[in-house]
């Protein structure tokens, strides 16, 4: 009885901690979501929580002070004196708040508190991101032509074209390699494996320029093949290690009986290993897919920014304009770009959780 | 390129003639002080007989088969591609592409422009990786200078017709495009788009209604600032927040004031690192600036909010009714941050940041984009030559937000009075100087200078500490 109770209370603690962690993660995401529906000026002025019904000061009676009031001296309003700073920030007087309405005209507003229940929301952020912004160009005769920019759809397909092969290729190669490292006996096996593990700690940044040089001489720059290979190479060490951990833990007896029945390595791999390691494949697939989907650096270097090959992350970065004047579009763009990873995650969620453990818990 | 000799000769003559016509057309504006009439290249014939100090020299050069641009216009390079890489994205990219569209249609050269927000970071990698674009557009000449030193930039001295360039550009621009190459000085690029940075934006309608007049001297401006403070508003809207680049807006102020309180020679020395930040000249400039910046009655939100206000958001209080702030010192590109409903010339306008000391005249601080060539092919030469003509930026000029540095961009291309005055300001400037922080090495101009100014304004460092900190950027 006591043990059960203890387990129950520790479960509550774990759940509580998880709840707090979830809250910390979800809150800013929700804030971003709320902001994505707000007009830019509103985002600038108030926090996203103002979309909820809240109390705010509403304009009330206007008090006209004498025009020659010196702002650097204490200012008298309704028999009381206030400083200029107080009136700038708003100062409470009885039930209302005194604040400058027009400092230049020396009018003070007596604001009253009231409820604001309907938030000002707009779909403009999404419209601009999805269907492209409109650019105004002027002609020699002063007339304006409106040119429509491109939306996200092209970039979306580009990213998908890059992300799917860049996930499938490394996962496939890594599974072959992991099988070999786990179940084949060949000279230099350990050394090779250690080298692959060592590659995990090499930052990809050091490889950028040398690889780019090779790509230039091979003519792979800006091509899909080039970036598939780049993502494959950068992803392989981790994927191999991950798959090795999983495949090496499969029961040995299975392969032995298969061997006795005369199965070749390839048959074992395709008939036994692949079906058995679906959870691991799925979860490392999600990892790799997320990495490629969110990648900015590798795309920036190897594929560039031509509209025909531009990926989502780069398109979104460009949306804000050369000087960042359209920063508010990032809110909705971020959400749209999150949709794909979220969809993949929820579809393969059960594998994902299992896969997370695949790397850590052995046996 | 093999043609019958007779045909070649007649071609050469036609080209030669058109070449001369164009040149003499441009030549009309050779003395760049002439403010109004910059004749367009197209109306050249009228001017043929007039001035021709260049005719003879150019005849000689053009005899063979004309300049690359002429050949391109004849469709010689049809079907070729020229890659270009630069920092314009989004709206700027659309404007740029509409400017080159006609050229692409006429010549059949496909200019593949690639814009990236990470241009500054990427161009080095591309050049080092052997993947340099044919043409790259540098908003910071300091960056180009560092690449030019490696010898990977094509020297334009022999590529472009120098006579034509001197005719079409203010000398200051050409001086600024001469940089240290691997072996000696080279002409590293040509200027295509420029910004003016000595402008104080103000809400014109409200300003006039309030009965204020545009100040002509620094003292008048300070008096007006005080007047506005008495009337109830802080005059200046200042913000220097800009993400990782926070502080750059402050450097524009220092540069502008430097030009107004000391000689251009001192400014050049300062930019080159010979005049330290700790010198009295620089200190004085920051002091002048501080009289506005650190006075809480003069700045919207007080000095503390300067560091936390994004430079693009800073002018927004000017467009409230009534305005909560009145002046914003910023380059002409700031108009893209203004509310869409605000109209140029009506709701807002600019005045020239007035001189402080009369002996230094009317200096103008500019910034701009310099185009450098990395691969020498005939069609690239043609495109580069095209970029030295006003025509290459015409549609952008019409849409507003840029000033053409070339003399053959007539003032009537500018669609607003405000833009026109801006172009004229540049042409009339007694001293034209480039944004110093963009010329300094990155460690200073895009490093300690930004950071030091931010620290000083936010109050975490005293003026002397901040200047020493900035200066330390030169030492390591």
């Amino acid at each position: 009885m006591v043990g059960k109770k203890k387990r129950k209370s520790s479960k509550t603690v774990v759940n509580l901690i998880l709840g707090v962690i979830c809250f910390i993660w979800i809150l800013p995401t929700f804030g971003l979501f709320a902001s994505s529906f707000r007009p830019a000026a509103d985002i600038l002025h108030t926090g996203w929580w103002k979309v909820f019904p809240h109390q705010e000061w509403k304009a009330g009676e206007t008090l006209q002070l004498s025009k020659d009031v010196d702002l650097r001296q204490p200012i008298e309003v309704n028999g009381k004196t206030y400083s200029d700073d107080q009136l700038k920030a708003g100062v409470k007087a009885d039930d209302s708040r005194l604040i400058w309405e027009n400092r230049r005209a020396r009018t003070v507003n007596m604001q009253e508190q009231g409820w604001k229940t309907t938030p000002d929301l707009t779909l403009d952020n999404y419209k601009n991101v999805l269907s492209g912004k409109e650019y105004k160009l002027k002609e020699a005769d002063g007339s304006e032509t409106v040119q429509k920019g491109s939306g996200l759809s092209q970039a979306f397909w580009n990213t998908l074209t890059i992300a799917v092969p860049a996930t499938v290729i490394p996962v496939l190669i890594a599974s072959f390699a992991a099988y070999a490292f786990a179940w084949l006996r060949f000279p230099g096996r350990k050394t090779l494996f250690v080298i692959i593990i060592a590659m995990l700690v090499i930052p990809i940044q050091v490889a950028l320029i040398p690889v780019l040089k090779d790509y230039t001489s091979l003519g792979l720059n800006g091509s899909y093949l080039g970036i598939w290979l780049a993502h494959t190479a950068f992803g392989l060490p981790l994927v191999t290690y991950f798959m090795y951990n999983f495949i090496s833990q499969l029961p040995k007896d299975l392969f032995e009986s298969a061997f006795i029945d005369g199965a070749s390595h390839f048959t074992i791999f395709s008939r036994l290993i692949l079906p058995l390691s679906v959870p691991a494949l799925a979860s490392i697939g999600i990892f790799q897919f997320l990495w490629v989907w969110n990648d900015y650096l590798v795309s920036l270097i190897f594929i560039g920014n031509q509209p025909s090959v531009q990926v989502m992350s780069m398109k979104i970065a460009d949306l804000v304009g050369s000087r960042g004047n359209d920063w508010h579009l990032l809110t909705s763009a971020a959400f749209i770009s999150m949709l794909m990873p979220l969809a993949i995650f929820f579809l393969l969620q059960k594998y994902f959780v299992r896969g997370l453990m695949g790397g850590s818990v052995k046996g | 390129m093999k043609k019958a000799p007779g045909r070649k000769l007649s071609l050469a003559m036609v080209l030669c003639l058109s070449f001369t016509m164009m040149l003499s057309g441009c030549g009309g504006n050779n003395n760049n002080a002439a403010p109004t009439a910059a004749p367009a290249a197209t109306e050249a014939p009228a001017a043929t007989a007039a001035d021709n100090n260049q005719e003879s020299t150019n005849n000689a050069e053009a005899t063979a088969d004309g300049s690359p641009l002429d050949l391109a216009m004849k469709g010689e390079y049809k079907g070729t591609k020229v890659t270009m890489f630069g920092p314009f994205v989004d709206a700027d990219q659309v404007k740029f592409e509409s400017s080159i569209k006609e050229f692409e249609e006429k010549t059949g050269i496909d200019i593949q422009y690639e814009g990236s927000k990470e241009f500054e970071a990427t161009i080095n990698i591309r050049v080092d990786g052997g993947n340099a674009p044919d043409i790259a557009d540098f908003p910071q000449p300091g960056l180009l200078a560092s690449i030019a030193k490696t010898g990977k930039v094509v020297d334009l001295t022999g590529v472009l017709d120098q006579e034509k360039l001197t005719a079409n550009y203010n000398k200051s621009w050409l001086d600024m495009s001469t940089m240290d190459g691997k072996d000696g000085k080279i002409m590293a690029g040509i200027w295509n788009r420029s910004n003016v940075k000595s402008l104080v934006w103000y809400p014109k309608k409200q300003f006039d209604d309030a009965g204020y007049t545009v100040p002509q001297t620094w003292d008048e401006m300070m008096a007006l600032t005080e007047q506005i403070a008495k009337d109830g508003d802080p005059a200046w809207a200042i913000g220097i927040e800009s993400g990782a680049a926070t502080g750059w807006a402050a450097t524009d102020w220092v540069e502008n004031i430097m030009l107004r309180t000391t000689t251009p020679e001192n400014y050049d020395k300062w930019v080159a690192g010979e005049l330290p930040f700790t010198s009295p000249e620089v200190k004085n400039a920051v002091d002048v600036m501080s009289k506005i910046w650190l006075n809480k009655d003069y700045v919207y939100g007080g000095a503390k909010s300067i560091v936390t206000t994004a430079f693009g958001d800073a002018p927004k209080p000017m467009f409230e009714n009534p305005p909560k702030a009145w002046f914003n010192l910023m380059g002409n590109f700031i108009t893209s941050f203004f509310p869409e409903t605000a109209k140029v010339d009506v709701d807002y306008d600019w005045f020239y940041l007035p001189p402080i000391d009369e002996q230094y005249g009317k200096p103008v601080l500019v910034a701009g984009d310099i185009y450098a060539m990395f691969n020498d092919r005939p069609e690239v030469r043609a495109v580069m030559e095209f970029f030295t003509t006003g025509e290459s930026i015409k549609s952008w000029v019409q849409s507003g937000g840029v000033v053409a540095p070339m003399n053959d961009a007539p003032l009537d291309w500018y669609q607003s009075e405000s833009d026109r005055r801006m172009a004229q300001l540049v042409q009339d400037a007694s001293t034209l100087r480039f944004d110093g922080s963009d010329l300094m090495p990155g460690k200073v101009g895009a490093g300690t200078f930004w950071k030091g100014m931010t620290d000083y304004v936010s109050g975490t460092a005293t003026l002397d500490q901040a200047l020493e900190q900035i200066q330390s950027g030169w030492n390591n």
Side-chain angles (χ1 to χ4, degrees):
Chain A
M1 279 296 280
V2 179
K4 213 173 187 183
K5 212 172 188 181
K6 207 174 175 185
R7 188 175 286 173
K8 209 172 184 185
S9 71
S10 73
K11 214 174 179 183
T12 325
V13 171
V14 168
N15 282 343
L16 211 71
I17 292 173
L18 283 178
V20 169
I21 293 175
C22 279
F23 182 74
I24 292 174
W25 277 93
I26 288 175
L27 192 69
T29 316
F30 181 77
L32 187 70
F33 184 67
S35 293
S36 69
F37 288 103
R38 306 181 76 209
D42 280 12
I43 304 178
L44 207 62
H45 280 132
T46 54
W48 56 266
W49 49 89
K50 297 280 180 187
V51 296
F52 298 117
H54 61 279
Q55 275 196 313
E56 67 174 20
W57 293 100
K58 287 189 174 162
E61 195 189 335
T62 303
L63 304 174
Q64 175 71 54
L65 307 184
S66 122
K67 289 266 184 201
D68 46 342
V69 166
D70 188 346
L71 295 169
R72 289 166 200 188
Q73 304 294 327
I75 301 156
E76 196 183 311
V77 187
N78 281 355
K80 283 186 190 162
T81 54
Y82 304 100
S83 74
D84 178 40
D85 286 338
Q86 276 178 314
L87 285 174
K88 265 190 201 160
V91 59
K92 273 211 169 175
D94 305 325
D95 292 337
S96 53
R97 184 171 78 155
L98 294 174
I99 195 163
W100 283 118
E101 180 176 305
N102 186 341
R103 198 158 163 266
R104 164 166 299 264
R106 306 286 192 271
T107 54
V108 174
N109 198 297
M110 281 179 72
Q111 294 179 318
E112 277 152 31
Q113 212 153 27
W115 282 91
K116 183 168 169 73
T117 46
T118 47
D120 304 318
L121 298 179
T122 169
L123 283 173
D124 281 357
N125 295 343
Y126 283 93
K127 243 184 245 165
N128 274 329
V129 168
L130 285 175
S131 60
K133 284 194 268 182
E134 285 178 349
Y135 307 103
K136 283 183 190 139
L137 294 173
K138 277 191 189 144
E139 300 299 321
D141 54 5
S143 65
E144 264 185 12
T145 50
V146 174
Q147 196 169 334
K148 192 120 176 121
S150 61
L152 277 183
S153 56
Q154 172 77 41
F156 180 87
W157 290 115
N158 292 342
T159 318
L160 211 59
T161 316
I162 290 170
V164 172
T167 309
V168 174
I169 302 172
V171 169
L172 200 67
I173 297 178
S175 316
F176 287 136
Y179 174 71
F181 281 126
W183 300 110
L184 298 188
R185 297 281 169 267
F186 57 92
R189 186 173 70 106
K190 286 224 162 112
T191 327
L192 271 177
F193 191 66
V194 166
I195 291 176
I196 287 185
I197 300 303
M199 281 188 193
L200 276 175
V201 296
I202 299 180
I204 66 165
Q205 286 84 347
V206 300
L208 294 179
I209 292 182
V211 173
L212 189 66
K213 272 187 182 158
D214 294 344
Y215 271 24
T216 309
S217 53
L218 293 170
L220 281 176
N221 273 326
S223 70
Y224 283 130
L225 180 62
I227 195 151
W228 290 338
L229 291 179
H231 275 305
T232 303
F234 292 138
L236 264 180
L238 179 69
V239 184
T240 310
Y241 176 66
F242 186 95
M243 287 311 294
Y244 171 83
N245 272 351
F246 189 87
I247 290 176
S248 65
Q249 296 307 315
L250 292 172
K252 202 176 179 183
D253 316 353
L254 264 177
F255 309 117
E256 277 169 357
S257 46
F259 255 128
I260 291 165
D261 289 348
S264 68
H265 278 304
F266 187 75
T267 322
I268 294 178
F269 182 78
S270 55
R271 294 282 174 81
L272 282 175
I273 302 281
L274 279 187
L276 280 174
S277 45
V278 163
L281 289 174
S283 54
I284 195 66
I286 297 177
F287 272 131
Q288 177 72 9
F289 185 85
L290 285 183
W291 156 251
V292 176
W293 187 268
N294 291 329
D295 161 74
Y296 184 85
L297 181 66
V298 176
S299 313
L300 178 72
I301 305 299
F302 295 116
I303 200 147
N305 229 352
Q306 298 283 6
S308 57
V309 290
Q310 189 184 42
V311 295
M312 289 266 277
S313 51
M314 296 179 77
K315 172 80 187 170
I316 289 171
D318 286 357
L319 274 178
V320 300
S322 298
R323 290 190 172 77
N325 35 327
D326 283 332
W327 51 267
H328 56 277
L329 295 182
L330 286 182
T331 53
S332 51
F335 254 89
I336 292 167
S337 128
M338 271 161 72
L339 285 180
M340 188 72 191
L342 278 181
I344 299 254
F345 177 82
F346 283 120
L347 278 176
L348 302 176
Q349 190 192 17
K350 59 178 180 186
Y351 298 119
F352 192 66
V353 176
R354 220 182 292 171
L356 276 178
M357 314 246 255
S360 57
V361 187
K362 288 199 176 187
Chain B
M1 288 295 291
K2 280 193 177 166
K3 282 177 187 147
R7 216 182 133 196
K8 198 171 175 185
L9 194 68
S10 63
L11 175 69
M13 279 188 64
V14 169
L15 283 175
C16 189
L17 201 66
S18 57
F19 199 80
T20 330
M21 281 175 166
M22 264 183 80
L23 262 175
S24 39
C26 306
N29 200 33
N30 211 356
N31 46 346
N32 49 42
T36 39
T42 40
E43 43 183 80
T48 348
D51 55 340
N52 35 33
N53 46 347
Q54 301 154 14
E55 227 167 68
S56 51
T57 48
N58 282 313
N59 271 345
E61 275 190 40
T63 38
D65 29 36
S67 74
L69 180 57
D70 298 330
L71 288 177
M73 284 301 184
K74 296 195 79 87
E76 197 84 1
Y77 307 124
K78 209 175 186 102
T80 52
K81 276 181 195 161
V82 173
T83 59
M84 202 177 155
F85 186 43
F88 313 135
V89 294
D90 201 52
D92 286 349
Q93 183 170 352
V94 171
K95 286 176 187 168
F96 172 77
E97 276 166 356
S98 79
S99 296
I100 57 172
K101 207 162 118 202
E102 203 183 310
F103 172 78
E104 286 183 297
E105 279 164 7
K106 269 189 195 155
T107 60
I109 299 177
D110 181 14
I111 302 179
Q112 292 188 323
Y113 175 77
E114 179 182 352
S116 170
K117 298 259 307 166
E118 302 298 325
F119 172 81
E120 287 87 346
T122 325
I123 186 68
N124 271 317
I125 299 176
R126 293 227 178 152
V127 173
D128 287 349
N131 187 28
D134 294 332
I135 299 171
D137 162 9
F138 291 85
Q140 288 171 328
L143 186 61
L144 174 59
S146 65
I147 295 180
K149 274 200 192 107
T150 64
K152 287 182 174 148
V153 178
V154 177
D155 183 4
L156 297 177
T157 321
V159 172
L160 296 172
D161 186 340
Q162 295 299 312
E163 300 274 352
K164 243 194 227 182
L165 288 180
T166 35
N168 209 15
Y169 284 93
N170 184 324
K171 191 172 172 299
S172 300
W173 286 115
L174 294 178
D175 290 346
M176 286 188 288
S177 58
T178 308
M179 296 177 183
D180 287 325
K182 206 173 182 185
D183 343 274
K185 296 267 179 204
I186 62 164
M187 184 179 188
I190 45 119
W191 295 94
N192 184 258
R193 177 180 82 144
S194 63
N195 299 312
V196 190
K197 293 202 156 193
S198 299
L199 313 176
V200 180
W201 297 90
Y202 68 98
K204 185 177 165 60
K205 192 164 169 291
Q206 316 262 9
F207 188 85
D208 292 342
D209 287 350
Y212 300 140
T213 48
V214 167
Q216 300 300 325
T217 65
W218 190 271
D219 292 335
E220 277 179 40
M221 189 178 79
M222 293 305 285
L224 183 58
T225 303
E226 175 64 23
Q227 173 66 39
I228 292 176
K230 273 202 186 121
D231 289 347
D233 292 315
W236 291 88
I238 309 172
I240 61 170
E241 196 276 333
S242 180
T246 297
W248 68 260
T251 67
D252 286 2
W253 273 79
V254 180
E255 288 149 10
N256 263 311
I257 298 172
M258 277 294 282
L259 284 173
R260 283 163 180 73
T261 52
T262 186
T263 57
E265 289 71 32
N266 271 344
Y267 180 86
D268 294 340
K269 275 195 207 160
W270 174 58
V271 170
E274 289 154 22
L275 184 77
F277 274 86
T278 43
S279 66
E281 286 88 352
V282 184
K283 202 176 162 190
N284 174 46
V286 184
D287 270 332
V288 170
M289 180 184 109
S290 309
K291 287 199 180 108
I292 295 174
W293 283 44
L294 301 186
N295 188 330
K296 82 174 177 63
D297 292 334
Y298 290 175
V299 180
Y300 182 73
K304 276 202 183 110
S305 79
I306 292 179
V307 181
T308 53
T309 307
F311 77 96
D313 296 333
K316 297 215 160 112
M318 301 197 319
F319 295 96
E320 285 180 37
N321 192 12
K324 290 196 167 141
W326 295 78
F327 303 142
N328 181 249
L329 174 75
M330 194 45 82
N332 47 337
F333 50 79
I334 193 67
T335 50
S336 61
F337 289 89
F338 289 172
E340 275 182 25
T341 47
K343 287 198 185 73
V344 65
D345 296 337
V346 180
D347 294 322
Y348 64 87
D349 201 358
W350 59 271
F351 63 81
Y352 168 72
L353 183 73
I356 295 175
D357 192 333
E358 262 177 37
Q359 58 169 311
Y360 303 120
K362 279 185 112 186
V364 176
L365 187 72
V366 292
D369 290 82
I370 183 164
Y371 291 6
M373 180 166 145
F374 285 95
N375 300 313
D376 195 358
R377 297 196 308 272
E379 64 269 21
V380 185
R381 287 185 175 213
V383 176
M384 282 301 273
E385 197 184 335
F386 169 65
F387 282 137
T388 65
T389 63
E391 200 67 30
S392 66
I393 197 175
K394 183 175 177 193
S395 138
W396 202 340
V397 164
Q398 284 166 356
S399 297
V402 291
V403 172
M406 311 88 176
N407 296 331
D408 66 345
L411 289 175
D412 58 14
W413 282 0
Y414 297 90
Q415 295 288 308
S416 68
E417 191 56 39
S418 157
D419 281 359
R420 210 165 297 143
R421 279 172 47 227
M422 223 177 277
Q424 197 165 342
L425 180 75
V426 176
Q427 288 184 0
D428 292 352
S430 63
T431 316
L432 199 63
R433 280 296 181 275
F434 201 86
D435 187 322
S437 62
D438 285 347
L439 292 170
M440 293 174 188
K443 267 181 195 147
V444 184
T448 55
F449 198 176
W450 293 352
K451 186 159 185 319
M453 290 314 294
T454 310
D455 286 353
Y456 170 59
V457 177
S458 66
T460 49
T462 65
L463 179 53
D464 288 320
Q465 283 169 342
L467 292 176
E468 262 164 43
Q469 186 199 340
I470 300 173
Q471 184 59 29
S472 71
W474 285 103
N475 306 330
N476 49 37

